Amino acid sequence: MGIFKKIFTPLDALKHLGQKPHTIRVPYVKKEPAKRYRGIHVNDWDKCIGCGNCARICTCQAIEMIPIDSIKVEEGKTNLRPQVDYGRCSFCGQCVDVCPTGSLKLSTEYLMTSTNKDDYIFIPPKDRDSGEGTGWESSTETSMLRFDREEMPERNPDERKLDFEPVLLGFSEQQAYLESMRCLGCGLCVDGCPTHMFIPEYIQKIRDAEYNGAVDEFFKNNPLPQICGTVCTHNCEDNCVYSRRGNPIQIRYLKGFAAEKVDNYGDVIKVDPDNKIDKKVAVIGAGPAGLTLAFYLRKYGVQVKIFESTPNAEGMMRYGIPRYRLSEKTLKKETDFILSTGAEIQYSTEIGKDIPLKNLLDEYDAVFIGVGFQQGIPMGVPGEDAIGVLQAADFLRDVAMGKKVEIGNKAIIVGGGDVAMDASRTALRLGAKSVIMYRRRWVDMPAHEEEKLEAKDEGVEIMPQTLPTEIVKDENGKVKSVKYVKTKMVDQGEGKRPKPVPIEDEIYEMECSAVIQAIGQNPDYSLFPDDIKEKLQFDKRGKRIIVDDYGETLIPGLFAGGDCVNNRGDIVGAIADARKAARGAQRGRGRASP
Amino acid sequence: MRYFEYFVGPQHVGVTGNMSYHLWADGDEIKKMITSVGYLHRGFEKLMEYREWVKNVPMVPRICVPEPDVNEVLYAMGVEELSGLVPSERAQYIRVLVLEMARLSAFLFYFAGAAGALGLYTIPQWTIGDRDYILDRFEELTGGRAYHIYTTPGGVRRDLPDGFKSRVQETMNYLKKRLIDYDRLMFENAIIVKRTKGIGIIEKDYAMNMGVTGPNLRASGIKADVRKDDHYLVYDKLDFDVPVVGDGDIFSRIMQRRLEFDESIKIIEQVLEMMPDGGFIEKLPNPIEWKVPAGDVYVKLESSKGEFGYYIVSNGEEKPYRIHVRGPSYTHGIQVAQEKIVGMRIADVAPFLFSLDVCPPDIER
Ligand SMILES: Cc1cc2nc3c(=O)[nH]c(=O)nc-3n(C[C@H](O)[C@H](O)[C@H](O)COP(=O)(O)OP(=O)(O)OC[C@H]3O[C@@H](n4cnc5c(N)ncnc54)[C@H](O)[C@@H]3O)c2cc1C
Ligand code: SF4
């Protein structure tokens, strides 16, 4: 290189003189952070449910959950909110990526200056949010959580609607593993379970394929795990944190999966049938309430005798729920186990008719009423007495008992709950066409969404906003058709359910060979003599018996639970009631009565 | 005989991070040096044993400040190998992009230090300034500038933002233009040439015996590069050379990095073009309670400083049983530096030490 060039090389730098400087004149010019910048936290307190997963994943232990008095604790929510210590936080954003609700994000705000070190520890609110689409945000795609569930395999609708074999095929082991692995263990689901099962604990066991251990957890507060693991109303899943943005963990089916893996519960749950203490309890009704009570009392060694009016146990689980949803095998496995613990049962004995209730009250230390709601409610329209107009409860019971039921080739089912779905799908299986008439909208139907869809898939025709007004008979007094009107929904003001109002001007008619009413059930309290009935306290509508925290009625020693007490009207509600009553009955008479 | 005894460090000594050298000189000649580490020890390897697998993701980058991504990728690769998780091809391309961008920014850091050690401060001003343009891209991609916490077992945490590729290309074009200035400033600079040529020579055989790796090894004349030899990620699909300068002196080591800079740009440009569509992450079955199957694995890759390795042992639990990190700096910054410095002049200590590109945080985990 020429010497001249070398000398002048430094002057090269002059070319930069006129250029825009690379440095930014802070504070006159603000450095704009990148869109995804991980700055300080913002948390939408309304969306946050206080599950604490953010605190759990924090590798720096910078997040602590702090109770906030002004936040109301609700089912599936706590009043805890994350507090961040910026002396520890490393701004990794894993808290955001694990947050199930998406309430937490790191905004692009980064300035934080104070001479007081306490100012660096605070509970992030929403107000420093740099706006949607900025900062490190959560989305179902980028979240660490798998919001999609493992789909439960089912038989194909065209095939399954021809018989009463189970619709569900059950999880494979891999599916059960993956589904149980989704669980974060935060335990908010437990709020939703009436009997407060130890859900995170048993899911952990299922994940590790320790099915005996899982069964042990189940029986702590539910002696019918496989039944519940198949048909429970699964309120727990509504509270699962995943349900905030995706599919909740299928807690119910996981339970069923693990329970099915253990053939003989007796290997895990040890109750000595010969251990009998000097205390006797009579149980009226062998539904889930009665069976549960019997099991827990037997655990304490109490002598239990169940009186059941029909020739079989299980109550509505057998006579209401059809076999394609809950198999004979499952029913038998769980009842047999409970009876094997030393509980006696006397079938075909109706209390109040065959044996007076008073006798039991005299003979036993305590008596438990678990008689359920057995009578269907009539619609109250003209022509209801026609031949072929049935009550869903009776219809399902007769089918379950194997009786021959004539419904012809087209059944109209009235109602929108789970019972209506069961009746319509059972009618399909008897070879009839099924049409459901419901007075409100599809979204208002109280039946579970999955039941509605299953019915629809099988070919049940669902007519929402339809109100039957008359049942037309033929010359032999047999049902011929149903007259009906359409309804319109009238707004009832804020917070109230819109009301269906009939549009009277046009009346339609549909031919059919049977009408099945599924608009609800009532209790049959003929077992109570008048003097006892007088002493008992009922709810406003006179349907449900009022009990205390130990399931005891106002009559010392008389306990009650199940459908005749709670307004959930499901199996797990009956189990929860019976667990309470087991504690009460075991303590003795009149603990909490006035 | 009494030697002049002095210390270099621990605040700064032409090494990025706190570390101290204790030297004895006879006149201007170094007679002995021992390294004194411990200023930075944070016990990462131990801390990792107390954290669930994903919780170590924000921890590992701290093992190397100038080039943290190497740790993230290695940790993810190791965990993936143990668990059978396969990241998507797109995720693998993105990882290469991240690694090479990190390499470039580490080289820019290196040029700054190498020149700074000689008292030349224009170069650091320029290269550190230009490194910031790469950090801008990192900020866009990962939300963080220095620590990216972006690569995670299963893939990467976010997909490329809109228009990212073209902005990376712009940055590459800019850097390519700047390289002309750098070359003039560094390699046509008499001070640099005179003070680095023939000084601090690490001979080929010595380098081999001591376990020197990476650019330092190639500067000594051995063509070895984990990216070529081991085929991790998608490097075998990419076309790039492994330059070998070969003299083993300080100048070679600087030049080695300068040549590799071009190759990294080449790789990045190919990645931008070849990156397929697809998912960016294979989600773990559970973020916190996931158990990695029992087993052990050694994974390694080519960092800007040399071969980086992770030895990971799982005994099937939610947390690792043991993780051992093998960074290149231990060999370079302790064994080689201690031996090779003997006989050198005091003024050459800083340029020599820096030329080895030692990263104290990776010595002390
Ligand atoms: C069609 C249908 C589908 C349903 N599906 C579901 C579902 O999917 N999931 C769910 O959780 N719940 C479901 N339920 C509700 C659930 O079955 C009930 O809530 C539950 O069975 C109530 O339990 P229980 O013990 O209170 O009463 P029951 O199950 O009704 O049992 C009462 C028992 O007492 C007997 N009994 C009555 N009177 C006397 C007397 N005087 N003397 C002796 N014995 C007597 C009866 O014969 C019966 O066996 C369904 C109900 C119906 C009708
Ligand atoms: S993870 Fe999200 S929802 Fe749960 S406590 Fe933290 S911020 Fe709230």
Side-chain angles (χ1 to χ4, degrees):
Chain A
M1 205 189 301
I3 181 87
F4 276 115
K5 196 164 174 219
K6 269 193 183 161
I7 289 173
F8 290 111
T9 299
L11 298 180
D12 213 44
L14 290 176
K15 74 177 181 215
H16 297 287
L17 262 181
Q19 283 177 8
K20 192 172 157 248
H22 290 225
T23 42
I24 294 176
R25 289 170 61 78
V26 175
Y28 308 108
V29 181
K30 193 175 176 246
K31 164 99 175 80
E32 273 314 318
K35 263 216 174 119
R36 244 177 223 178
Y37 187 76
R38 300 193 303 253
I40 60 174
H41 296 74
V42 282
N43 188 17
D44 183 345
W45 285 15
D46 296 335
K47 261 210 234 158
C48 173
I49 49 175
C51 63
N53 283 306
C54 46
R56 235 182 117 204
I57 203 160
C58 182
T59 200
C60 306
Q61 291 156 6
I63 301 182
E64 194 182 335
M65 300 302 293
I66 305 289
I68 312 267
D69 291 338
S70 60
I71 297 178
K72 217 173 90 213
V73 182
E74 292 168 46
E75 203 179 282
K77 283 184 188 171
T78 73
N79 66 347
L80 302 171
R81 292 297 176 267
Q83 168 182 285
V84 186
D85 178 345
Y86 288 96
R88 292 162 166 260
C89 177
S90 67
F91 299 90
C92 67
Q94 283 197 331
C95 47
V96 173
D97 289 354
V98 83
C99 173
T101 60
S103 66
L104 195 64
K105 78 178 243 186
L106 298 179
S107 74
T108 56
E109 291 281 327
Y110 56 88
L111 279 178
M112 222 187 320
T113 38
S114 169
T115 48
N116 180 0
K117 69 178 179 358
D118 294 338
D119 290 348
Y120 294 95
I121 304 177
F122 57 87
I123 306 175
K126 206 186 162 188
D127 51 355
R128 282 188 82 178
D129 192 353
S130 46
E132 216 181 296
T134 67
W136 189 260
E137 288 184 316
S138 171
S139 78
T140 49
E141 193 197 5
T142 56
S143 170
M144 292 183 181
L145 307 182
R146 290 166 49 235
F147 284 98
D148 292 329
R149 63 181 180 194
E150 290 296 314
E151 289 301 335
M152 168 59 88
E154 284 182 0
R155 286 167 72 207
N156 149 342
D158 290 333
E159 177 199 315
R160 72 191 190 214
K161 70 177 186 195
L162 303 175
D163 59 41
F164 280 86
E165 292 302 310
V167 166
L168 303 182
L169 297 171
F171 280 143
S172 67
E173 274 180 31
Q174 177 66 6
Q175 277 188 305
Y177 167 75
L178 286 174
E179 187 67 12
S180 59
M181 271 314 272
R182 292 171 62 213
C183 176
L184 299 167
C186 47
L188 288 178
C189 47
V190 178
D191 285 357
C193 174
T195 182
H196 303 301
M197 292 191 75
F198 295 103
I199 300 170
E201 288 78 0
Y202 70 66
I203 291 193
Q204 183 87 42
K205 301 256 157 73
I206 296 171
R207 180 186 284 184
D208 296 340
E210 281 177 32
Y211 305 122
N212 282 353
V215 164
D216 199 35
E217 295 288 347
F218 299 155
F219 272 82
K220 285 181 181 162
N221 32 27
N222 183 345
L224 302 170
Q226 197 170 332
I227 291 176
C228 285
T230 318
V231 297
C232 184
T233 44
H234 58 88
N235 209 161
C236 50
E237 293 180 20
D238 300 340
N239 290 309
C240 172
V241 292
Y242 279 90
S243 69
R244 307 277 161 180
R245 281 197 289 170
N247 291 313
I249 315 268
Q250 295 164 88
I251 301 171
R252 164 176 65 168
Y253 292 151
L254 284 174
K255 176 165 53 243
F257 172 83
E260 200 187 346
K261 288 274 171 198
V262 179
D263 287 332
N264 183 9
Y265 293 149
D267 296 342
V268 185
I269 310 296
K270 302 285 178 207
V271 181
D272 178 6
D274 298 324
N275 167 28
K276 293 198 169 145
I277 62 168
D278 183 24
K279 192 171 259 178
K280 277 163 56 184
V281 173
V283 175
I284 308 175
L291 290 173
T292 302
L293 182 88
F295 173 77
Y296 287 104
L297 289 181
R298 282 304 305 137
K299 257 179 84 170
Y300 302 129
V302 176
Q303 301 180 43
V304 180
K305 182 152 184 186
I306 310 173
F307 298 91
E308 165 59 48
S309 59
T310 71
N312 271 303
E314 297 109 3
M316 277 303 180
M317 302 189 298
R318 170 178 291 280
Y319 296 128
I321 303 175
R323 287 300 74 78
Y324 61 85
R325 286 213 288 128
L326 188 57
S327 73
E328 180 69 35
K329 198 173 144 207
T330 308
L331 282 175
K332 240 180 100 45
K333 170 179 170 187
E334 308 217 308
T335 339
D336 284 356
F337 172 68
I338 292 176
L339 296 179
S340 77
T341 60
E344 270 180 65
I345 186 159
Q346 185 172 328
Y347 291 111
S348 307
T349 307
E350 186 177 334
I351 301 301
K353 208 168 101 194
D354 301 324
I355 303 175
L357 177 61
K358 283 218 171 92
N359 291 13
L360 300 184
L361 281 169
D362 291 343
E363 236 177 88
Y364 290 84
D365 296 304
V367 176
F368 176 79
I369 313 272
V371 293
F373 275 20
Q374 310 298 333
Q375 285 175 344
I377 302 176
M379 293 187 290
V381 297
E384 243 172 40
D385 54 343
I387 301 169
V389 178
L390 310 169
Q391 270 299 338
D394 302 333
F395 165 67
L396 290 169
R397 182 183 303 116
D398 288 350
V399 173
M401 282 182 157
K403 288 190 191 162
K404 197 161 165 47
V405 187
E406 290 290 347
I407 53 165
N409 55 13
K410 183 167 181 181
I412 291 177
I413 292 93
V414 185
D418 286 332
V419 177
M421 300 304 136
D422 283 339
S424 66
R425 294 171 71 189
T426 300
L428 273 188
R429 283 163 172 77
L430 296 180
K433 250 188 97 182
S434 264
V435 179
I436 290 181
M437 290 187 177
Y438 177 59
R439 60 193 176 131
R440 291 192 158 93
R441 295 163 302 180
W442 168 277
V443 289
D444 302 315
M445 291 174 92
H448 282 85
E449 198 60 27
E450 66 227 7
E451 300 267 332
K452 291 194 258 179
L453 292 176
E454 281 181 11
K456 216 173 138 215
D457 286 349
E458 289 176 4
V460 173
E461 186 187 335
I462 300 181
M463 295 172 63
Q465 291 180 267
T466 305
L467 183 70
T469 50
E470 189 188 337
I471 292 168
V472 185
K473 305 180 208 176
D474 67 5
E475 55 283 2
N476 303 324
K478 246 191 114 295
V479 54
K480 194 176 110 201
S481 65
V482 168
K483 284 193 179 159
Y484 63 93
V485 294
K486 295 304 253 177
T487 65
K488 60 172 187 263
M489 303 306 288
V490 177
D491 200 27
Q492 299 294 296
E494 214 178 299
K496 286 198 192 122
R497 236 173 131 192
K499 207 169 122 186
V501 175
I503 311 167
E504 303 278 6
D505 21 327
E506 209 155 346
I507 297 175
Y508 306 86
E509 192 168 346
M510 184 183 275
E511 289 199 2
C512 64
S513 50
V515 175
I516 303 173
Q517 310 173 76
I519 58 169
Q521 277 119 255
N522 267 338
D524 174 3
Y525 288 144
S526 60
L527 81 161
F528 297 125
D530 287 345
D531 58 332
I532 289 192
K533 213 175 202 166
E534 261 166 35
K535 281 195 219 150
L536 289 174
Q537 199 186 355
F538 292 92
D539 69 355
K540 275 193 274 186
R541 291 157 72 199
K543 281 189 171 190
R544 296 195 170 83
I545 308 169
I546 309 263
V547 297
D548 65 17
D549 285 348
Y550 287 96
E552 194 168 19
T553 65
L554 288 186
I555 298 172
L558 187 63
F559 294 82
D563 280 0
C564 60
V565 165
N566 70 58
N567 53 14
R568 295 183 56 89
D570 60 359
I571 299 169
V572 68
I575 293 173
D577 284 353
R579 286 241 315 135
K580 272 194 263 174
R583 253 174 270 141
Q586 187 247 154
R587 280 164 187 236
R589 248 173 216 222
R591 267 194 54 83
S593 312
Chain B
M1 167 112 206
R2 282 195 47 181
Y3 291 137
F4 170 58
E5 186 181 346
Y6 78 110
F7 294 89
V8 174
Q11 298 90 337
H12 148 76
V13 273
V15 283
T16 41
N18 307 96
M19 173 175 174
S20 158
Y21 291 98
H22 187 177
L23 299 106
W24 287 266
D26 179 11
D28 198 16
E29 190 188 328
I30 306 295
K31 286 289 177 197
K32 180 182 165 186
M33 177 179 86
I34 54 173
T35 51
S36 168
V37 291
Y39 298 94
L40 260 183
H41 207 294
R42 296 145 294 173
F44 283 134
E45 289 181 2
K46 197 72 196 160
L47 288 174
M48 286 196 254
E49 293 167 17
Y50 291 92
R51 278 165 176 71
E52 285 85 350
W53 291 95
V54 227
K55 287 203 198 174
N56 287 325
V57 171
M59 181 105 73
V60 288
R62 278 155 179 86
I63 290 175
C64 182
V65 191
E67 199 186 9
D69 306 81
V70 166
N71 293 278
E72 295 178 16
V73 174
L74 273 173
Y75 181 71
M77 273 171 31
V79 172
E80 283 158 4
E81 201 163 315
L82 280 173
S83 61
L85 214 64
V86 183
S88 71
E89 182 144 337
R90 183 179 179 80
Q92 300 201 31
Y93 271 95
I94 297 180
R95 284 181 184 179
V96 172
L97 177 65
V98 165
L99 284 176
E100 294 302 323
M101 275 166 52
R103 202 175 164 80
L104 290 184
S105 79
F107 283 159
L108 290 171
F109 221 98
Y110 178 89
F111 297 146
L118 292 166
L120 301 167
Y121 289 117
T122 306
I123 298 174
Q125 304 265 0
W126 285 11
T127 58
I128 295 293
D130 288 342
R131 173 176 172 267
D132 256 33
Y133 292 112
I134 301 182
L135 299 192
D136 283 347
R137 298 289 85 79
F138 269 125
E139 187 184 322
E140 259 188 77
L141 178 66
T142 70
R145 292 182 76 80
Y147 292 131
H148 307 133
I149 317 177
Y150 176 66
T151 304
T152 190
V156 293
R157 289 173 71 193
R158 295 286 189 277
D159 205 350
L160 305 187
D162 287 342
F164 183 69
K165 284 187 189 172
S166 65
R167 286 190 296 280
V168 174
Q169 187 58 59
E170 274 167 32
T171 309
M172 291 305 122
N173 294 346
Y174 168 76
L175 287 175
K176 281 194 268 185
K177 244 179 29 217
R178 290 289 277 174
L179 283 174
I180 303 168
D181 287 339
Y182 292 168
D183 286 349
R184 304 256 286 275
L185 213 54
M186 289 200 293
F187 302 109
E188 288 177 20
N189 183 329
I191 296 177
I192 291 193
V193 175
K194 289 236 151 95
R195 290 212 41 201
T196 58
K197 273 217 157 149
I199 295 172
I201 296 178
I202 298 173
E203 306 79 8
K204 197 168 163 176
D205 292 345
Y206 178 84
M208 202 58 193
N209 292 341
M210 290 300 279
V212 172
T213 54
N216 291 347
L217 181 66
R218 294 189 283 275
S220 292
I222 293 174
K223 189 167 176 165
D225 186 319
V226 192
R227 290 175 296 179
K228 282 278 186 208
D229 307 337
D230 252 41
H231 304 298
Y232 58 96
L233 298 173
V234 288
Y235 277 109
D236 53 350
K237 296 191 182 142
L238 303 167
D239 174 30
F240 63 99
D241 292 329
V242 179
V244 172
V245 177
D247 292 342
D249 55 5
I250 299 178
F251 186 84
S252 300
R253 285 193 283 278
I254 302 175
M255 184 53 110
Q256 180 69 33
R257 273 133 180 122
R258 167 65 190 85
L259 297 180
E260 294 192 9
F261 203 95
D262 290 339
E263 297 306 316
S264 289
I265 293 182
K266 224 160 98 186
I267 294 177
I268 290 175
E269 288 178 337
Q270 289 173 61
V271 165
L272 294 179
E273 204 161 289
M274 290 164 64
M275 185 184 297
D277 288 342
F280 55 92
I281 187 141
E282 193 64 47
K283 290 190 190 182
L284 302 182
N286 182 300
I288 309 176
E289 290 167 16
W290 180 52
K291 294 180 181 170
V292 169
D296 63 333
V297 66
Y298 183 76
V299 281
K300 58 180 179 179
L301 58 67
E302 184 74 24
S303 80
S304 70
K305 303 180 190 336
E307 184 180 312
F308 226 106
Y310 265 57
Y311 179 58
I312 304 178
V313 185
S314 167
N315 52 8
E317 297 294 324
E318 285 160 6
K319 297 167 187 171
Y321 174 71
R322 176 80 171 93
I323 293 184
H324 176 71
V325 180
R326 192 272 185 209
S329 299
Y330 194 93
T331 321
H332 301 167
I334 298 185
Q335 280 108 326
V336 173
Q338 275 180 184
E339 284 187 21
K340 281 290 160 191
I341 208 149
V342 176
M344 228 174 249
R345 291 184 311 138
I346 290 179
D348 292 334
V349 167
F352 172 69
L353 288 178
F354 205 95
S355 76
L356 297 171
D357 204 3
V358 176
C359 176
D362 109 44
I363 300 176
E364 301 176 44
R365 281 104 33 197

